[in-house]
Amino acid sequence: MQKANSGHASTGATGGLAYAPLRDPPKCVVKCLDLSADVPSLTAREKECICWVAKGKSSWDIGAILGISEYAVEHYIKIAMKKLGTGNRMAAAKKAKQLGLIEPQFC
């Protein structure tokens, strides 16, 4: 049984169908799927602070754990929030976890 020619393929000398090669996907599709370009880079200290935020620690607690001041912790968290485009520390922790930047179980 021969397939009908739908206009997408041409018949060869043997009567069979010869299909045209597939084209590359549109650039907009490739760009949308490239998630690595949208992942911000956090410093090691920013990651540490956000990781502890994800575990529910206060800035004071994080400072005591890391041996830095509460104000330094707040600074690192603020910078991470800005890089991640979030409005609060818990949203930053959630987004960092979703992006694979932190793993709270390893803090």
Side-chain angles (χ1 to χ4, degrees):
M1 176 179 231
Q2 265 189 342
K3 294 182 181 178
N5 188 351
S6 64
H8 296 294
S10 62
T11 57
T14 60
L17 295 176
Y19 292 93
L22 295 174
R23 291 190 236 171
D24 291 331
K27 290 182 181 182
C28 63
V29 173
V30 173
K31 185 176 181 182
C32 292
L33 295 177
D34 184 14
L35 300 177
S36 63
D38 296 333
V39 177
S41 62
L42 300 180
T43 65
R45 189 61 96 180
E46 290 164 353
K47 287 179 185 179
E48 282 180 311
C49 291
I50 291 295
C51 193
W52 285 110
V53 167
K55 294 185 113 182
K57 299 294 184 186
S58 69
S59 294
W60 187 89
D61 291 332
I62 297 168
I65 292 166
L66 299 178
I68 59 177
S69 74
E70 177 182 3
Y71 301 106
V73 171
E74 290 172 3
H75 171 75
Y76 290 123
I77 292 170
K78 185 177 178 181
I79 298 299
M81 287 170 40
K82 185 175 180 180
K83 288 180 179 180
L84 293 166
T86 59
N88 64 62
R89 54 196 280 146
M90 286 308 290
K94 182 178 179 181
K95 189 168 183 179
K97 184 176 178 184
Q98 289 173 340
L99 293 172
L101 297 173
I102 61 166
E103 296 183 37
Q105 68 269 22
F106 297 118
C107 291

